[in-house]
Amino acid sequence: MVQFVDTLVERTFPRIRRRPLVAYPIAIVIFLIAAALRAALSPWLPPSLPFLTFFIAALLTTLVAGTGPGLLVVAASLLHAWHFFFAHQSDAMSIVSLGMFAFLAGSIVAVVHLLNRKVEGLLDERARNEAMLQDSAMGELQLEQLNVELRHRLKNTFAVIGGLVSQSARFSTDIVSFASALSGRLAAMGTAMDLVATRNFTGASLTELVADTLKPLVPPGRSRVEIKGPETMVPGDVASALGLTLHELGTNAIKYGAWSNERGSVSVTWQIEKLDEEEVRFELDWQERGGPVVTAPERRGLGTTLIDSGFPSATVERSFTPDGVHCRIAAVIKQTTTRRTRRPR
């Protein structure tokens, strides 16, 4: 099974993407299946979420057939939804719903397009390594590690995207809230992926991860955020999970916490304790101050779930004090020893 998946990702899908006469018919077939599924599921799906199967269609089409066919599915989905769901109600909400779908589906196509480029880049790099190091035992070991990391990264990334789409739909009551939640989570995941990919998937700078994830969320003004901790590298899977967690904490701070007024601030600090040559103990503190009085949420939404259990093998403690939300994340993680290089700006 693993060999079959590897063959699809490494050989079959790239060949299809290079042959438009094959790629576009595949896109049409995927769209027709998505439309048929949406029609079959109509009795169970709320009218406010008419695009659920088309998100998955755009994701699969871009993965299998490429960016152009993926955009074709997005366009066909817009026309289909307009004809069958919104033609009889040409109001502002219909326009907003169609626009949100176009934006989110385009974001999914863009993320998968970047992933396809990264995959093909890794495959090209592997081919070059095979040519240069085919007679070296060390070269064979490096190639195997690259293959393992490639498979691991692809499976994790597409699993996370699929989970975010389905879970965001589950916890959303309308297309606007669904669009807002999904776009923010895709952006946070994209930030972590970019930081990891620039270092050949070996890890991400923790300082850059925290700063880049929170930068779009911090309100204007002085001293609204403090970021402090020792420079270190974290593995790719930890970076993705931590990026989503920080995004959810920042979003909650804007809605209910320290960033919801003109004077509140957030402090993000962390400590690293070396346990042995391979593992370190990581502790991160998120502390809000100067915001309104906060209380524990009455129900668990997807954001709460991502904060409390989105970080693998971590202990998460949250408290709601008069000073603001305090969240402490502690975990034992693998140490990344890759030498740090400056990212281009």
Side-chain angles (χ1 to χ4, degrees):
M1 184 64 183
V2 173
Q3 186 176 2
F4 174 73
V5 173
D6 291 346
T7 302
L8 287 178
V9 172
E10 298 177 11
R11 298 181 181 179
T12 306
F13 292 169
R15 290 175 181 172
I16 292 174
R17 292 194 289 267
R18 297 188 191 103
R19 301 173 63 186
L21 294 179
V22 177
Y24 282 92
I26 289 178
I28 295 173
V29 170
I30 293 177
F31 166 75
L32 293 176
I33 293 174
L37 285 175
R38 182 60 183 85
L41 295 174
S42 292
W44 298 279
L45 290 179
S48 59
L49 293 176
F51 305 106
L52 188 57
T53 58
F54 298 116
F55 281 110
I56 300 173
L59 172 65
L60 290 177
T61 302
T62 310
L63 171 63
V64 175
T67 306
L71 293 175
L72 175 63
V73 168
V74 173
S77 301
L78 283 169
L79 294 175
H80 181 277
W82 172 260
H83 179 75
F84 288 99
F85 297 99
F86 298 114
H88 61 284
Q89 51 177 23
S90 300
D91 54 4
M93 184 55 68
S94 300
I95 302 301
V96 171
S97 298
L98 290 169
M100 286 297 182
F101 169 74
F103 172 76
L104 283 176
S107 299
I108 291 175
V109 171
V111 170
V112 180
H113 169 73
L114 290 175
L115 285 171
N116 287 339
R117 292 187 60 185
K118 294 296 182 184
V119 170
E120 293 182 2
L122 285 171
L123 293 175
D124 291 340
E125 181 179 349
R126 185 182 68 179
R128 289 192 297 269
N129 287 338
E130 287 175 342
M132 292 185 298
L133 304 173
Q134 57 183 347
D135 297 328
S136 170
M138 182 59 68
E140 292 178 3
L141 177 60
Q142 292 175 347
L143 289 173
E144 181 61 28
Q145 290 174 343
L146 184 62
N147 286 333
V148 171
E149 183 61 29
L150 174 63
R151 292 195 296 267
H152 174 72
R153 184 61 48 197
L154 283 172
K155 293 174 183 176
N156 279 358
T157 300
F158 287 115
V160 169
I161 291 176
L164 287 179
V165 171
S166 61
Q167 292 297 318
S168 296
R170 175 186 173 190
F171 287 97
S172 300
T173 56
D174 54 65
I175 190 66
V176 176
S177 61
F178 173 64
S180 176
L182 182 58
S183 62
R185 287 158 185 156
L186 284 174
M189 190 182 76
T191 297
M193 285 174 54
D194 178 61
L195 291 171
V196 174
T198 55
R199 293 177 173 83
N200 296 324
F201 295 96
T202 57
S205 162
L206 182 55
T207 302
E208 291 182 352
L209 176 65
V210 176
D212 289 3
T213 301
L214 297 182
K215 183 178 180 180
L217 303 176
V218 179
R222 299 180 58 187
S223 304
R224 301 305 299 269
V225 64
E226 177 188 11
I227 299 173
K228 185 177 180 182
E231 180 57 65
T232 188
M233 300 285 290
V234 294
D237 55 345
V238 172
S240 298
L242 184 57
L244 286 173
T245 301
L246 290 171
H247 171 76
E248 296 302 329
L249 287 169
T251 301
N252 288 343
I254 292 175
K255 291 180 179 178
Y256 318 109
W259 287 339
S260 64
N261 60 20
E262 299 296 328
R263 59 187 179 86
S265 63
V266 174
S267 171
V268 184
T269 60
W270 62 88
Q271 297 177 348
I272 301 293
E273 178 187 356
K274 187 173 183 179
L275 300 180
D276 52 39
E277 294 299 325
E278 296 184 355
E279 294 184 336
V280 296
R281 179 173 177 79
F282 164 82
E283 291 187 8
L284 182 141
D285 280 296
W286 172 285
Q287 179 66 64
E288 299 182 22
R289 298 183 179 88
V293 177
V294 294
T295 58
E298 296 181 357
R299 68 180 185 89
R300 287 181 61 87
L302 177 57
T304 302
T305 303
L306 286 174
I307 293 173
D308 292 342
S309 59
F311 196 118
S313 68
T315 300
V316 179
E317 299 175 357
R318 280 197 302 162
S319 58
F320 299 83
T321 67
D323 290 335
V325 174
H326 176 228
C327 181
R328 176 179 172 273
I329 302 172
V332 175
I333 62 176
K334 294 291 184 181
Q335 188 174 20
T336 302
T337 57
T338 301
R339 182 170 57 89
R340 185 179 184 272
T341 57
R342 183 176 296 274
R343 297 175 66 235
R345 294 289 182 185

